[in-house]
Amino acid sequence: MALASSVLWLIAACAGGGEEPPRYRNVLFISMDTTRADHLGLYGNAEVKTPAIDALGAEGVVFDACMSAAATTLASHTSLLTGTYPLRHGVTRNGFQVSPENELLQEVLRDAGFYCAAVLGSAALTHKSGLDQGFDHYDDDFDLAAEAGGRDQDQRSAADVTERLLSHVDEVLQRRKSDQSVPDRMFLVAHYFDPHAPYAPGAEMAQRYGVEPMVGDFDDIEQAVQSQQARILRGPAAEGLTAAQANMPLGQQSVIQKGLNEPLVRRAAGVPTKMGRTLARLYAGEVTRTDDAIGTLLAGLAARGVLKDTLVVLTADHGETFWEHGNFWNHGLWVSQTDVHVPLILRFPDGRGAGRRVDTSVSGVDVMPTILEALGLVEARAGDVEPAHGRSLMPAIEGLALGDRATFSEATQPGPILEVAPDGATLPWGNARKPQAVRLGDWKLIDAGYLGLQQLFHLGRDPGERTDLLAPGASPLSEEARGALADLQLALSRWRASASPKTSAFDPSQIDTLRGLGYTEGQRK
């Protein structure tokens, strides 16, 4: 049955009584920007220290195979809060605007009697994006200004996000004492931006990870990008390339503006440079610093008596490729696991499902329907939902088999150059020509329309996506692989056919704040 809109979910629940389960009085939604699942302790990384998140996972349900809906901040967050993919909600990339035709999670919860508040870490989610619709309080007052030249975004530190959210909770709790109109249930959103480039965790954290105090700024990242690209496009490694391929300009902005080429995709060896290793350690420091802030937030809510009644959901909008694949030090150009494999943890205040691990592939679009069912705001649904919508994960939380279902992700770069058809015609949705991924079980297909290539991986045997079974010169596909490829291609075709995007347009007033990281490439010309 298609979950056409959250309005219908509420109607269905109210028709059946819609009683509020008091044990889940509040919801805390923690969003970590640019956070790879494989850089958290509970996902098997022994080097990156994330004790607060690890403890949260031990008390909750951990999903081991969650795929981000899109490899950029605004499009992914819109999917998280609508339960739909970009080909339905319409947001192509950062700088676009969320159509008011979308109904977001906070709007559903506000109508159900929740006070909704968000504290944001990055201007990618500014109120100009329209993501603020339905919030009673939307704090995007950033205290760290963009670099001169627009090479960074207005943002704030993880510690400040925590401090501002706890301070606002205090205000709400105080107001409740004298104003009975203030709802006694809260939906709280904390968005942490620190793991995003530039990687500047501070001297103490850098030293903890064996790096001399330094800032992993955009010049350092550019050096790492160009060094990796040169290994493929210059010198002996460039044998067999066309002149255009071998002579393409090096640097991150070149591929952000015009896209990757086949040699960058197929010939990336996955070997880091010295600068790359340093940047990875600084990134780890940023993740640990964010974990510290999350720990402080959880402890602060516990001290205020709020956490004991709160369902906690922690996830990330997307990951970050380092040296592993040809989209070096980027998260918008491709859809490898480094880009789209993200954490997902649900911790219930009554210990429901505590300690359970779920290895079925799920998606960020599943978060909204899961929260609504957990709160009793939607009846349990049997059968499949259409491919453009998420499904509730509550059966898995109860220990039941979830059943394999195709999950999808899409790249958002390059921007304007690919957002119209070659003949100038309108596309089914903004990212239709950009790389897309579909996963079903352990099999994953990447389809990059603008490059005319596909990649096939078996993630169970090849979690790092080093062996593309469709690469030129690869061995003939096994019967299993041929069947999987046909299933994946069919699922991707059906998903694309479900495109019906709501109206969204790029907001040129955001260019100055978003320029430089590839978070915007400007308007269509």
Side-chain angles (χ1 to χ4, degrees):
M1 297 178 64
L3 298 183
S5 76
S6 50
V7 171
L8 294 183
W9 301 341
L10 271 178
I11 291 173
C14 292
E19 296 182 2
E20 294 181 356
R23 62 189 179 190
Y24 306 150
R25 182 156 299 280
N26 309 302
V27 178
L28 170 63
F29 182 79
I30 299 172
S31 168
M32 300 179 70
D33 211 291
T34 323
T35 301
R36 294 166 52 144
D38 65 2
H39 273 59
L40 302 178
L42 79 167
Y43 283 89
N45 195 310
E47 296 181 0
V48 183
K49 305 306 178 184
T50 53
I53 298 172
D54 297 349
L56 184 71
E59 296 176 356
V61 183
V62 177
F63 291 84
D64 288 318
C66 183
M67 180 181 278
S68 167
T72 200
T73 300
L74 180 59
S76 179
H77 277 87
T78 309
S79 289
L80 287 164
L81 294 175
T82 62
T84 61
Y85 288 100
L87 53 68
R88 187 58 58 86
H89 63 62
V91 175
T92 300
R93 52 186 164 90
N94 291 335
F96 276 66
Q97 296 173 310
V98 180
S99 169
E101 297 174 10
N102 287 294
E103 187 168 36
L104 285 84
L105 176 59
Q106 62 269 19
E107 294 181 282
V108 179
L109 296 184
R110 181 194 59 191
D111 291 346
F114 283 75
Y115 178 86
C116 300
V119 178
L120 290 310
S122 164
L125 303 181
T126 174
H127 67 277
K128 292 182 178 181
S129 71
L131 200 71
D132 63 333
Q133 60 192 52
F135 279 106
D136 300 287
H137 177 77
Y138 198 78
D139 185 346
D140 60 354
D141 182 18
F142 306 110
D143 60 351
L144 300 176
E147 259 187 43
R151 294 206 305 171
D152 200 358
Q153 302 175 66
D154 291 340
Q155 58 189 271
R156 73 174 121 213
S157 70
D160 190 39
V161 169
T162 289
E163 180 182 350
R164 296 289 286 267
L165 187 56
L166 288 175
S167 177
H168 188 68
V169 168
D170 287 339
E171 293 177 16
V172 174
L173 295 177
Q174 185 63 34
R175 283 167 51 195
R176 280 182 185 167
K177 295 178 181 179
S178 58
D179 185 352
Q180 294 184 349
S181 68
V182 178
D184 65 353
R185 306 182 77 181
M186 290 187 289
F187 174 55
L188 305 173
V189 175
H191 170 243
Y192 294 101
F193 190 65
D194 291 50
H196 193 286
Y199 312 117
E204 180 181 354
M205 195 65 71
Q207 289 176 337
R208 187 189 303 188
Y209 282 95
V211 181
E212 290 298 317
M214 63 172 287
V215 174
D217 62 18
F218 293 102
D219 291 332
D220 294 331
I221 294 170
E222 181 68 5
Q223 176 187 330
V225 169
Q226 292 197 20
S227 295
Q228 296 285 172
Q229 291 174 338
R231 287 180 173 182
I232 298 170
L233 302 176
R234 304 288 191 265
E239 182 178 354
L241 301 188
T242 67
Q245 291 169 340
N247 294 322
M248 71 173 289
L250 300 181
Q252 192 169 70
Q253 286 306 308
S254 173
V255 291
I256 285 173
Q257 296 288 337
K258 298 181 180 179
L260 299 169
N261 63 23
E262 187 168 349
L264 287 174
V265 174
R266 296 206 184 276
R267 298 190 181 191
V271 179
T273 62
K274 181 178 179 181
M275 176 59 75
R277 290 189 183 279
T278 296
L279 292 174
R281 294 189 183 105
L282 292 170
Y283 172 88
E286 294 276 38
V287 172
T288 296
R289 186 166 70 166
T290 303
D291 181 83
D292 289 347
I294 291 171
T296 301
L297 174 62
L298 295 173
L301 293 175
R304 290 159 173 80
V306 173
L307 191 63
K308 62 183 175 63
D309 298 320
T310 299
L311 165 63
V312 181
V313 180
L314 181 146
T315 190
D317 55 357
H318 53 75
E320 180 92 315
T321 292
F322 298 161
W323 53 75
E324 299 92 345
H325 304 286
N327 54 320
F328 303 115
W329 301 99
N330 177 275
H331 55 253
L333 281 162
W334 209 251
V335 281
S336 300
Q337 291 297 92
T338 49
D339 303 296
V340 301
H341 180 207
V342 294
L344 177 60
I345 303 168
L346 280 82
R347 179 263 191 194
F348 293 82
D350 58 355
R352 193 173 188 177
R356 183 165 288 131
R357 308 283 300 222
V358 180
D359 60 5
T360 304
S361 179
V362 301
S363 169
V365 300
D366 299 328
V367 169
M368 179 184 185
T370 303
I371 292 174
L372 291 179
E373 185 176 341
L375 295 173
L377 297 177
V378 57
E379 295 176 344
R381 301 272 185 156
D384 293 331
V385 294
E386 65 171 288
H389 294 281
R391 61 173 174 174
S392 172
L393 304 178
M394 288 305 296
I397 289 163
E398 298 292 355
L400 303 176
L402 194 57
D404 283 332
R405 177 174 184 249
T407 52
F408 306 89
S409 188
E410 60 194 69
T412 60
Q413 296 170 349
I417 193 173
L418 289 184
E419 287 162 11
V420 293
D423 62 1
T426 301
L427 296 173
W429 84 101
N431 292 331
R433 295 181 62 205
K434 301 174 189 178
Q436 298 147 23
V438 54
R439 177 173 179 174
L440 188 57
D442 280 334
W443 289 97
K444 179 179 173 184
L445 175 70
I446 295 176
D447 187 312
Y450 79 96
L451 292 179
L453 67 82
Q454 291 187 334
Q455 296 178 302
L456 178 66
F457 302 99
H458 188 282
L459 297 178
R461 296 188 284 265
D462 180 24
E465 296 172 300
R466 304 309 314 165
T467 304
D468 172 16
L469 300 177
L470 299 180
S475 300
L477 294 180
S478 67
E479 182 178 352
E480 178 194 17
R482 288 197 303 273
L485 177 60
D487 290 342
L488 291 165
Q489 290 174 330
L490 178 60
L492 186 60
S493 175
R494 287 177 173 172
W495 178 71
R496 288 169 170 166
S498 71
S500 180
K502 294 177 174 61
T503 302
S504 179
F506 184 80
D507 174 11
S509 74
Q510 298 188 56
I511 287 179
D512 288 342
T513 0
L514 300 177
R515 190 190 310 274
L517 287 180
Y519 261 13
T520 176
E521 300 84 59
Q523 291 177 272
R524 297 175 191 155
K525 303 299 184 185

